[in-house]
Amino acid sequence: MQSRIFPVNPSYTLTQPHSPSLRLSITMSSFSPKVSTVSIPYTQLKDKNADLSAKIEQGFGPNGLGILSISEVPGYSLWRRNLLHLGPRLANLPEDVKRELEDPNSRYNFGWSHGKEKLESGKLDLLKGSFYANPILDVPMTKQSLIERYPSYCGSNIWPHKALPELETAFKTLGKLILDVGLLLAYHCDRYASREMVMLEGEGLEQTLVHSRCHKGRLLYYFPAQHSSPAHASMSSWCGWHTDHGSLTGLTYGMFTRDAVEIHSPDSDAGLYIKTRTGQIVKVEYGVDEIAYQIGETTEILSSGRLCATPHCVRAPRGDAASGVDRTTFALFMQPDWDQKLYFPGEVHIHRELIQSNESLTFGEYTEKLLDKYYHLKM
């Protein structure tokens, strides 16, 4: 599967105080404050001598929102548009073609998936469809025993070569670009975290992601609403509250279209919401041409809380203007290899009932423990 997202109670709170520096960029909407992400120019990010610790701490540290964005990435704007424009075309392929792109053995975590996941209400999610693939390796593993145990990590990509041949190149190009930028960000995250903890060679976030074979891209298409959503629609109406399970997630800015024509969002309150350390819900905003990155739970645990994950959800647009509008976006879930040994610290502050102090587990074993907790299922 993609770096699995596990649901959280929206009343979840953390004990750290909210960063005063973030309050400076907050503006009020009719629902929640709006907060601009901490942004780092690509030219600074690629400079390994640059000290980005202050920005890493502001975005990912104990008082941050668990998100920051990278601006001015060469080639990104073009490849974002190239892929996101394919979302409606993929979702509107004939049903028999889409069925050929499904992979039940991976629990629909390769290829096309629609109506297989459940919403917070327990109902099947028919609001969006997803296409999953590993943008780096088409066949990450050939050993059958591992494929059977970890089918959503070790399985093979499924591409619509005849029905939509351009999808493969667009998906892989954007996915690899987001990974490459993510690796630069991971380097600076390691520099920040290593100021307060001993980090052995090969244990940092950067090296973990460099050697992984199971990064997973997800192209998401939100089907157009046939009727306007009521003003009291749930804040998590497009994607329920969850915290990312893996290491680092790269996100594009969503693309809205009506009748195949790109438009601006019909509702300024639609989009990504995050729960802060004090339990406040804020709407997070970043530029159309920026890549946003969010910390996952695995990184929070292994950094002993120096890099922090946060619960988040996505709100759908409401009102008459939202009728007939669809949305496409892309996420890259960067995560350790299934057999990567995770050495948990002496003090574990997340999933204490599952992880013992100073325990070591592979990422696959750790994932199985979480699946047992949340879904009572094995991989």
Side-chain angles (χ1 to χ4, degrees):
M1 65 190 67
Q2 82 279 11
S3 175
R4 193 64 181 247
I5 54 178
F6 292 103
V8 299
N9 188 319
S11 63
Y12 166 84
T13 59
L14 292 173
T15 57
Q16 297 292 338
H18 187 57
S19 170
S21 61
L22 288 174
R23 293 194 185 102
L24 299 177
S25 61
I26 290 178
T27 58
M28 294 302 293
S29 73
S30 57
F31 295 98
S32 300
K34 295 181 179 180
V35 183
S36 296
T37 58
V38 174
S39 183
I40 301 174
Y42 177 76
T43 51
Q44 291 184 18
L45 187 73
K46 70 178 183 177
D47 181 1
K48 292 197 171 184
N49 293 317
D51 183 2
L52 301 181
S53 297
K55 289 191 173 182
I56 297 294
E57 182 169 12
Q58 188 179 2
F60 289 161
N63 299 323
L65 292 175
I67 186 171
L68 55 72
S69 58
I70 308 301
S71 63
E72 303 168 6
V73 177
Y76 170 69
S77 298
L78 172 63
W79 285 107
R80 170 188 169 270
R81 290 177 61 85
N82 283 354
L83 179 60
L84 299 193
H85 273 300
L86 297 177
R89 290 177 58 190
L90 174 66
N92 289 292
L93 289 175
E95 291 302 319
D96 61 329
V97 173
K98 287 187 289 188
R99 276 194 295 272
E100 292 178 358
L101 299 174
E102 293 180 343
D103 183 15
N105 290 332
S106 69
R107 298 231 287 280
Y108 301 94
N109 279 278
F110 280 98
W112 176 251
S113 173
H114 179 224
K116 310 302 181 184
E117 300 177 34
K118 289 186 178 181
L119 298 168
E120 289 172 334
S121 64
K123 296 180 180 179
L124 291 177
D125 182 4
L126 299 175
L127 300 177
K128 61 181 177 287
S130 298
F131 184 86
Y132 296 100
N134 183 329
I136 310 303
L137 297 170
D138 278 320
V139 184
M141 172 55 61
T142 57
K143 191 174 181 180
Q144 192 60 34
S145 61
L146 284 174
I147 295 173
E148 291 175 358
R149 181 170 183 181
Y150 305 124
S152 52
Y153 293 149
C154 299
S156 300
N157 288 336
I158 305 170
W159 299 108
H161 291 300
K162 293 182 179 179
L164 196 62
E166 57 266 55
L167 177 64
E168 180 178 357
T169 296
F171 193 107
K172 288 181 175 179
T173 304
L174 182 62
K176 187 175 187 307
L177 178 61
I178 293 176
L179 174 61
D180 289 343
V181 175
L183 292 175
L184 294 175
L185 179 58
Y187 168 83
H188 290 283
C189 287
D190 287 340
R191 287 190 66 186
Y192 163 73
S194 64
R195 297 186 310 176
E196 298 182 8
M197 62 183 294
V198 176
M199 190 175 295
L200 300 178
E201 185 177 353
E203 285 188 2
L205 179 60
E206 180 191 21
Q207 289 303 308
T208 294
L209 300 182
V210 163
H211 295 297
S212 177
R213 293 164 289 177
C214 61
H215 303 305
K216 184 66 67 71
R218 182 183 187 185
L219 180 64
L220 296 103
Y221 176 76
Y222 297 82
F223 289 92
Q226 300 305 313
H227 306 285
S228 60
S229 299
H232 61 273
S234 167
M235 180 171 289
S236 56
S237 49
W238 252 352
C239 184
W241 285 101
H242 65 276
T243 304
D244 289 358
H245 157 52
S247 300
L248 188 66
T249 302
L251 300 169
T252 68
Y253 191 94
M255 178 180 290
F256 293 87
T257 57
R258 179 188 281 118
D259 299 326
V261 177
E262 186 177 352
I263 63 171
H264 292 293
S265 172
D267 179 2
S268 63
D269 289 314
L272 178 67
Y273 285 77
I274 285 177
K275 185 170 286 292
T276 71
R277 304 302 180 200
T278 58
Q280 182 184 32
I281 295 174
V282 299
K283 183 178 186 292
V284 176
E285 299 185 331
Y286 54 95
V288 173
D289 295 321
E290 294 183 327
I291 309 173
Y293 288 89
Q294 290 182 279
I295 290 292
E297 282 186 339
T298 300
T299 295
E300 176 164 353
I301 294 171
L302 297 182
S303 68
S304 298
R306 292 170 178 82
L307 301 166
C308 296
T310 48
H312 49 278
C313 72
V314 181
R315 183 172 200 148
R318 302 156 303 112
D320 293 339
S323 181
V325 173
D326 58 18
R327 176 178 181 263
T328 306
T329 190
F330 178 79
L332 179 67
F333 299 96
M334 291 164 272
Q335 53 208 1
D337 225 351
W338 55 84
D339 60 359
Q340 168 89 29
K341 275 284 187 180
L342 306 181
Y343 297 94
F344 296 98
E347 183 178 349
V348 176
H349 61 287
I350 298 178
H351 304 308
R352 290 176 178 170
E353 72 282 11
L354 302 179
I355 304 166
Q356 298 179 11
S357 296
N358 299 310
E359 183 179 15
S360 65
L361 296 168
T362 66
F363 181 67
E365 291 168 343
Y366 169 57
T367 301
E368 287 181 316
K369 282 177 174 279
L370 290 177
L371 285 171
D372 285 345
K373 174 181 177 180
Y374 287 103
Y375 297 105
H376 306 290
L377 293 171
K378 289 287 186 180
M379 289 287 290

